Amino acid sequence: MRAAVITALTGPDAVEVRDVPDPVPEPGQVLVDVAYAGVVFPDVLQTRGEYQLRPELPFTPGWEVAGVVRADAGGFAAGDRVAAMPVTGGLAESVAVDADMVFPLPDEVPLATAAALPLNYLTMHFALLRRAALQTGETVLVHGAAGGVGTAACQLAAAYGARVIAVVSTPDKGEVARAAGADEVVPVDGFREEVRRLTDGRGVDVVVDPVGGDRFPDSLRSLAREGRLVVLGFTGREIPTVRVNRLLLTNTSVLGAASAEFWRSEPGYAGRQWRDLVPLMRSGAIDPPIGSVFSLDQTAAAIREIDQRRAVGRLLVRVRDEEAR
Ligand SMILES: NC(=O)c1ccc[n+]([C@@H]2O[C@H](COP(=O)([O-])OP(=O)(O)OC[C@H]3O[C@@H](n4cnc5c(N)ncnc54)[C@H](OP(=O)(O)O)[C@@H]3O)[C@@H](O)[C@H]2O)c1
C-alpha cells in the first residue's frame, strides 16, 4: 500500500510517500481502509522528534482517520463506516487500530468530517468537562481558536452552554472561530484588556491554552476568581513557567490535560466520550471547519502549513479516491 513516511527528524520536508507492506492487525485490532486522515500539530512535532512518542525511523505518522472496516473484528463488521485514532500510521491507505480507539459513525456524518473529529473533540471533551469541570453559563477564553484544538474548544464550550471568547492572530482566523461558535473574537495583541472590557472586569472562568509562550502571564491575569487555565500544548514553542504565589493570591488553578495519556491508562474511556458526543454530531453542534484537503502525495505540504502557522481550520489528506460508502 501507499503511505506517508517520516524518513528523518528534520521537519515536514522529510516526509515522503512510499510503498510499504500492508498492516497486519494483531488480535483486538481492526483493519480500517482509510478515506481521509486528519493532519494535526503533533504530526509537526513528530517530524522533528519533539513529541513524547518517538517511533523508530522510518515510520508513518497519522493520529486520526475515517474510513471503512475491511473485515469483521473487535465488534465491527466489514463495511462499517468508522472514525479511528491509530495515533501513528493513519496517513496510509490502511491502518490497524486497537478496537477501543475505533468509533462507529452516525450515517449523517460524512467521512471527510469524521476524520477531523477524534483527536481534538475527545481531547476537548476531556479538558473542558473532566479537567476544568465547565459549568453552563461560564465564560471560556480559547487561544489558537481557529486551529484544530481551538475550533473544537469553541464548538464544545458553546454546545455546553458557555460564552466563548476567541483569541486569534488574523481576521480570517477570527471568522473561522466565530463560525465555530465564538461569541466574541479578540486579537492576540491586547487580548487581556479586551477580556477585561468584555467581562466588566471580572475575567473568564476557563482559559483553553494550546499555545503557551509569552501570552501565558496575561492568560493567568484574565482568570476570574476560581478560574481554571487548562494547559494543552505549546504551539508558541516556549513552555511558560508559573509563579504559584499568583495562583494562591487569586484563588485560581492551572491544570494539565493530556488526553492520550488518559486514554492509554483508562481503556474504554475514549469510547464512552465518543458516545457522549454522538448526539452533538447528529445535531450539527460539532462540525469541524475543514480548511483544505490535500492528496496523500501532498502530505508534507499539509504538515508544513501547520508548522508555518498558515492553517485556517482543519487540514485533511484524502487518501483513497473513492468517496467511501
Ligand atoms: N494535550 C492534549 O491532549 C492535546 C491533544 C491534541 C493536541 N494538543 C496540542 O495542542 C496544540 C494545538 O494543536 P492543533 O492541532 O490545534 O494545532 P493548530 O491547528 O495548528 O492550531 C494551533 C494554533 O496555535 C496558534 N499559534 C501560535 N503561535 C504559533 C506558532 N508559532 N506556530 C503555529 N501555531 C501557532 C495559531 O493560532 P493563531 O495564529 O491564531 O495564534 C494556530 O491556529 C499542539 O501543541 C498540540 O500538540 C494537545
Side-chain angles (χ1 to χ4, degrees):
M1 68 167 184
R2 298 179 76 239
V5 176
I6 296 180
T7 58
L9 300 179
T10 53
D13 291 347
V15 176
E16 292 174 11
V17 175
R18 290 183 178 171
D19 286 325
V20 301
D22 277 10
V24 179
E26 291 171 11
Q29 288 194 317
V30 179
L31 189 59
V32 178
D33 287 332
V34 177
Y36 292 90
V39 181
V40 292
F41 199 89
D43 296 324
V44 174
L45 299 176
Q46 283 189 316
T47 65
R48 298 206 173 89
E50 291 172 356
Y51 193 73
Q52 300 90 295
L53 185 76
R54 293 186 192 86
E56 228 174 89
L57 291 174
F59 72 96
T60 293
W63 272 81
E64 55 180 2
V65 301
V68 176
V69 171
R70 171 98 58 90
D72 296 3
F76 292 89
D80 281 355
R81 298 166 73 254
V82 293
M85 212 162 16
V87 180
T88 55
L91 281 154
E93 287 178 331
S94 303
V95 62
V97 191
D98 293 345
D100 70 347
M101 291 301 231
V102 182
F103 314 110
L105 261 193
D107 289 344
E108 49 274 74
V109 179
L111 289 170
T113 301
L117 287 171
L119 178 62
N120 294 321
Y121 286 84
L122 295 180
T123 292
M124 284 318 306
H125 178 278
F126 170 66
L128 288 173
L129 299 191
R130 180 146 185 152
R131 301 295 291 132
L134 178 68
Q135 304 294 313
T136 305
E138 289 193 316
T139 301
V140 179
L141 182 73
V142 179
H143 285 289
V149 165
T151 48
C154 290
Q155 288 189 351
L156 271 184
Y160 291 122
R163 173 189 180 190
V164 178
I165 304 176
V167 183
V168 293
S169 63
T170 63
D172 57 335
K173 290 187 178 184
E175 279 171 34
V176 169
R178 207 176 277 284
D183 298 286
E184 283 104 5
V185 176
V186 301
V188 176
D189 288 336
F191 77 86
R192 179 183 163 205
E193 291 69 30
E194 281 298 290
V195 167
R196 194 192 306 248
R197 185 181 66 77
L198 291 167
T199 60
D200 296 327
R202 181 182 169 275
V204 298
D205 302 292
V206 175
V207 173
V208 171
D209 189 9
V211 177
D214 57 8
R215 63 178 83 177
F216 190 80
D218 276 347
S219 292
L220 285 182
R221 292 188 190 100
S222 299
L223 286 173
R225 195 154 55 91
E226 296 196 75
R228 295 84 74 200
L229 184 154
V230 191
V231 177
L232 285 135
F234 311 104
T235 58
R237 266 52 174 194
E238 183 204 321
I239 300 180
T241 51
V242 187
R243 288 175 64 85
V244 293
N245 63 325
R246 187 192 299 278
L247 308 181
L248 183 153
L249 294 171
T250 55
N251 283 303
T252 52
S253 310
V254 174
L255 307 165
S259 50
E261 188 282 329
F262 212 79
W263 294 322
R264 265 194 306 277
S265 39
E266 289 224 13
Y269 179 67
R272 293 196 295 280
Q273 291 186 285
W274 185 266
R275 284 193 287 281
D276 248 19
L277 294 179
V278 163
L280 299 178
M281 296 171 200
R282 288 211 156 105
S283 71
I286 59 179
D287 183 14
I290 307 303
S292 317
V293 181
F294 294 78
S295 67
L296 186 61
D297 288 317
Q298 296 169 321
T299 300
I303 298 176
R304 211 176 293 124
E305 285 293 291
I306 294 184
D307 187 31
Q308 295 177 354
R309 203 176 176 174
R310 286 200 300 259
V312 180
R314 287 303 315 275
L315 306 187
L316 298 182
V317 165
R318 186 173 176 162
V319 178
R320 286 175 185 266
D321 278 342
E322 88 263 34
E323 178 67 59
R325 294 148 267 189

